Amino acid sequence: MKTSSGPPAMGDEATTPKRRRPAEEDEDAGPDLISRLPDDVLGDVVTLLPAPDGARTQALSRRWRPLWRAAPLNLEARVAASPYERRAAAALAAHRGPARRLALTWDAYSGGFPAIDGWLRSPTLDGLRELELHYRAPKWFGRAGHNDNPSPLPLPVLLRFSPTLRLLCVSCDWCRLDIPSAAAADDDACLVFPHLEQMTLKGVSIAEGTLHGILAGCPALRSLVLHYNIGYRRLRIVSKTLQSLSITDGHRDREGRFEEVIVEDAPLLERLIPDGLMHDLQIRVIQAPKLKVLGHLYSRDGISTRVFKGIELVSLSNALRTVKILALITGSDLDVVVDLLQCFPCVEKLYIVAFSGRWPSFNTAQHSNVPLECLDAHLKTLQVTHYKGKPSEVDLVRFFLSNARVLESIRLAVGVVNCYHKWVATQLKKLRPGTGSASSQGAKIAFENDRRGSDRVPVEHIHDLSLGDLFDRSVRE
């Protein structure tokens, strides 16, 4: 092959590659349509990226260089003496604002709030819309007695963002943050968040009056998560905008345990998510005409029946008919399930998490004549999680196959060790009712691998109002 090392001839320019600027159109790659978008649209793209990725967009072309400094900042940082903290602090100092989101994580050894005070007072954060504060400690921290005096949350700094916040998350792991009353922080302070739509309080100590004061100051709140908090025994919900509510008691603490939630007036509430294994929490729903999703309700030795009947069933006669999706955690017998289904006559999807303890055997025949509207006309989907094929579990599934007239599918989540072909075939023979049974001969039975630890609904999905069925694992995954 003949080669030439000399310069190309005048007629060979077309065969010589040209150096192109990044923003210049390439006939082979096509035009750079993204860079042609208006600045405000590109700014929205940049602000959705984490701060390091947003800063890297400056290297794309001259067109992109000014966008990161002008787009609202999205910054996640861990407060510690590390190069990462210095880089995050430098990014905060270099950005001229405004800021859209700030997520700070710090631990029990980083000096408490003085370590993040400078971050929260930065002028770059003026107009902040989303604030996440994550306070963490090792598991032994609480057991060692370091958690007896919770660290206080400085309200004056937090209230600086109250006019603009849309999202607030205060989360503590293996430790406590104390949220003082506004009067204790500043006589002129006012716990009002006029535009707040989403709030999470996890692992905090907060007085009942302070919590209700904060909720009263959130006229636009749409989603609320209260998990593992102490300091209040009763929660009273009066909200014209709330659509999703998830609650958990602080059962790791003996004092200040959450005992009762009263949904007094919530015309838009669609989801009520008690987070599983709670100790005798009383739930009373007086006015929630759009309630569709409820669970997980916990039952053990009949406890859920007694606790759930603490609800004012007379006042709920209309609201209960709106519940279409019900989730239970139960280790009890069929009596509990039947009692609950009588309270929810229009349930279409039923999720049962089988308790790991031994289920007592029961006689399904005594329930065959119980009038259940949901079995006659509504129940279409049943899922049993942690299914092991015990006789009581087989009887439970057979009861629904024999009595649910419109049942379409049954999903049984089992451990991997059991989910093999021969075991599944044996279970199918046990589950199918006799030929004389009236109901769901055509219902499909499917076995799937059981993923332990996935029963609880993730907080991010509770806040996602676009998700209709929070308990369907296929939707969550």
Side-chain angles (χ1 to χ4, degrees), residues 237-396:
I237 298 296
V238 178
S239 173
K240 301 296 184 183
T241 59
L242 191 65
Q243 299 179 43
S244 181
L245 171 63
S246 181
I247 49 177
T248 302
D249 65 357
H251 59 77
R252 288 176 288 187
D253 297 272
R254 296 180 179 178
E255 298 182 1
R257 180 174 292 171
F258 188 21
E259 296 179 348
E260 183 180 26
V261 57
I262 305 172
V263 181
E264 185 172 314
D265 185 16
L268 298 183
L269 185 66
E270 296 183 0
R271 308 185 208 160
L272 178 55
I273 314 294
D275 190 28
L277 304 176
M278 292 183 291
H279 294 248
D280 297 352
L281 178 67
Q282 300 282 340
I283 302 174
R284 298 173 59 205
V285 181
I286 299 174
Q287 183 66 21
K290 292 189 176 182
L291 187 62
K292 297 179 181 179
V293 182
L294 179 61
H296 288 93
L297 296 180
Y298 173 53
S299 71
R300 182 183 60 190
D301 301 328
I303 286 179
S304 75
T305 304
R306 175 174 58 81
V307 172
F308 188 72
K309 286 184 177 179
I311 296 179
E312 297 182 353
L313 294 178
V314 175
S315 301
L316 263 179
S317 58
N318 294 326
L320 287 174
R321 297 190 65 85
T322 66
V323 175
K324 307 297 183 183
I325 301 173
L326 178 65
L328 309 176
I329 298 178
T330 178
S332 189
D333 58 25
L334 188 60
D335 293 332
V336 174
V337 178
V338 171
D339 286 346
L340 287 173
L341 291 180
Q342 291 182 47
C343 300
F344 303 100
C346 298
V347 168
E348 298 176 359
K349 295 183 178 181
L350 177 62
Y351 296 87
I352 298 177
V353 179
F355 216 54
S356 58
R358 188 180 72 85
W359 286 32
S361 60
F362 48 84
N363 182 11
T364 58
Q366 64 181 340
H367 300 286
S368 59
N369 296 323
V370 176
L372 290 174
E373 181 182 339
C374 82
L375 296 185
D376 290 336
H378 301 291
L379 185 65
K380 297 180 180 180
T381 301
L382 171 68
Q383 176 176 298
V384 180
T385 307
H386 308 333
Y387 180 85
K388 297 181 179 63
K390 297 179 180 180
S392 55
E393 296 171 343
V394 171
D395 290 342
L396 177 73

Side-chain angles (χ1 to χ4, degrees), residues 131-162:
L131 177 62
E132 301 176 28
L133 300 176
H134 304 280
Y135 185 39
R136 303 192 175 179
K139 292 184 179 181
W140 56 262
F141 190 78
R143 296 194 297 267
H146 298 288
N147 198 27
D148 294 339
N149 297 311
S151 301
L153 181 70
L155 288 183
V157 176
L158 181 61
L159 291 173
R160 173 197 167 195
F161 308 117
S162 63

Side-chain angles (χ1 to χ4, degrees), residues 192-210:
V192 175
F193 298 91
H195 303 292
L196 192 68
E197 298 180 357
Q198 177 180 316
M199 179 165 62
T200 301
L201 298 179
K202 177 186 175 184
V204 305
S205 175
I206 181 171
E208 190 171 306
T210 302

